[in-house]
Amino acid sequence: AGGASALTHWPIQIRLVPPHAPFLQNADLLVAADCSAVAVKSFQEKYLEGKKVMMGCPKFDDAEMYIQRFTDIINQANLNSITILIMEVPCCSAMNVIIKKALEQADKSVPVEQVTISVQGEEIERKMW
């Protein structure tokens, strides 16, 4: 089964996307933990379609830099929403902390939905905050 990718922009790594990237303007932003795209077989259809994506690993990447990056994006991009897609493993929960801290520091608020995926690739939790 082929078909075009739902990915509409580049780059996608959190540390590479500048806060002023045109594709972020008025976007529904998907912040996906790196492992989530591999764990979920239908990642593009289920989570990426209609959204702009930024991916990273909250365990291995620089959390303080992420917080600053997301604070700047929230302030500059006029986001419609943020969806956080994380795995059920403990290291992934840091992504929630990163986004919460960015929202606390930002001048604007954005509705956030958090989706948690099991290591088998199943959606196990969905909550707004």
Side-chain angles (χ1 to χ4, degrees):
S5 173
L7 182 65
T8 60
H9 63 89
W10 196 259
I12 61 171
Q13 283 294 316
I14 295 167
R15 62 182 174 271
L16 296 179
V17 176
H20 59 272
F23 63 78
L24 291 174
Q25 282 300 318
N26 306 303
D28 290 302
L29 179 62
L30 173 64
V31 178
D34 284 337
C35 298
S36 65
V38 179
V40 179
K41 186 176 180 184
S42 57
F43 171 81
Q44 289 205 3
E45 296 88 350
K46 231 176 156 171
Y47 300 109
L48 178 57
E49 218 158 270
K51 293 184 170 65
K52 304 304 177 187
V53 66
M54 293 175 69
M55 297 188 76
C57 176
K59 183 179 178 81
F60 291 121
D61 296 339
D62 180 347
E64 288 304 315
M65 186 274 285
Y66 273 16
I67 292 166
Q68 190 57 55
R69 177 70 41 104
F70 285 116
T71 301
D72 293 344
I73 288 168
I74 293 163
N75 283 337
Q76 295 177 36
N78 197 30
L79 297 174
N80 293 323
S81 68
I82 298 172
T83 302
I84 305 170
L85 187 65
I86 58 169
M87 302 297 296
E88 65 180 333
V89 293
C91 47
C92 245
S93 63
M95 195 68 91
N96 293 332
V97 176
I98 288 165
I99 299 297
K100 279 181 177 153
K101 286 187 175 172
L103 281 164
E104 285 167 14
Q105 292 178 16
D107 303 327
K108 302 177 179 181
S109 67
V110 179
V112 176
E113 182 172 35
Q114 180 215 309
V115 181
T116 306
I117 303 297
S118 73
V119 291
Q120 291 80 32
E122 301 295 322
E123 190 176 301
I124 54 176
E125 185 184 41
R126 190 179 274 259
K127 63 183 179 189
M128 301 292 295
W129 48 267

